[in-house]
Amino acid sequence: PGDSVTLRDPYVPGPAERAPLYYWDACAGTVSQTNPHTREATWVAPSEPGVYDVTVNFRNASSTTPSRVLRLCVAKQGETACTLSPPPAPEMRSFAATPEKITCGARCETTLASAVDAAGSEAPLSYRWQVRRGIISGGGPTVKFEMPLVGCCPETYTAALTVCDARHAAATGITDV
């Protein structure tokens, strides 16, 4: 409890690929990342023993399954394993922007909506939205995403979502606009 752990995503980009952007989050404890292009983050475990989910989403050109949930055990002092069984996790059924492609004028805004199957999960669900550029307004499964105005060239903006239940189990996803 309270220890920090370095987490590393197993994906290694090829020599010709640009470094992906990583979006780390945790249902409990804290996650910090010094550089969004590195695949490492530090998780500080909560003080209570249990099973906790940490999520990582990343975006690059060749990735087809960019979302991962890492299930981590925080054991009681003096023990080497968790005595609690992991809770069932919520499942991300869909996560998308509507509209997905927009032409920006005075305002660049879209709606981000998710659908989560929470069967077996413990309510309430919390929705943790992340963007590198832009503003998320609202909360819950559907929010507004306002992107910065673009100049002459098309831009792609990425949004990541982690949904946590009351037992710290997670579902996660990522989408582009």
Side-chain angles (χ1 to χ4, degrees):
D3 290 341
S4 62
V5 178
T6 299
L7 305 172
R8 185 175 296 115
D9 189 81
Y11 179 79
V12 178
E17 289 182 276
R18 288 183 17 205
L21 281 173
Y22 290 87
Y23 297 80
W24 289 88
D25 205 350
C27 292
T30 57
V31 174
S32 60
Q33 183 181 15
T34 56
N35 179 343
H37 292 285
T38 59
R39 59 193 185 115
E40 289 186 355
T42 301
W43 179 59
V44 178
S47 58
E48 288 294 314
V51 178
Y52 298 93
D53 286 353
V54 175
T55 63
V56 60
N57 289 284
F58 65 88
R59 175 57 69 216
N60 73 348
S62 65
S63 170
T64 56
T65 56
S67 302
R68 302 185 208 291
V69 175
L70 309 171
R71 197 146 264 198
L72 303 173
C73 166
V74 176
K76 291 179 183 176
Q77 201 71 31
E79 293 184 4
T80 57
C82 279
T83 54
L84 302 171
S85 34
E91 182 182 332
M92 185 79 61
R93 285 189 287 136
S94 65
F95 176 32
T98 307
E100 185 178 289
K101 294 182 184 209
I102 57 176
T103 302
C104 294
R107 189 175 183 139
C108 300
E109 186 176 276
T110 190
T111 299
L112 300 174
S114 66
V116 175
D117 181 359
S121 296
E122 191 169 304
L125 297 178
S126 66
Y127 293 79
R128 303 165 59 98
W129 297 89
Q130 291 185 59
V131 294
R132 294 277 188 248
R133 297 183 296 162
I135 299 168
I136 295 287
S137 56
T142 303
V143 297
K144 292 287 184 193
F145 178 26
E146 186 176 337
M147 295 147 284
L149 292 176
V150 294
C152 66
C153 308
E155 289 279 339
T156 299
Y157 296 91
T158 300
L161 171 62
T162 294
V163 180
C164 300
D165 75 2
R167 292 176 293 191
H168 314 294
T172 193
I174 194 164
T175 192
D176 287 333
V177 180

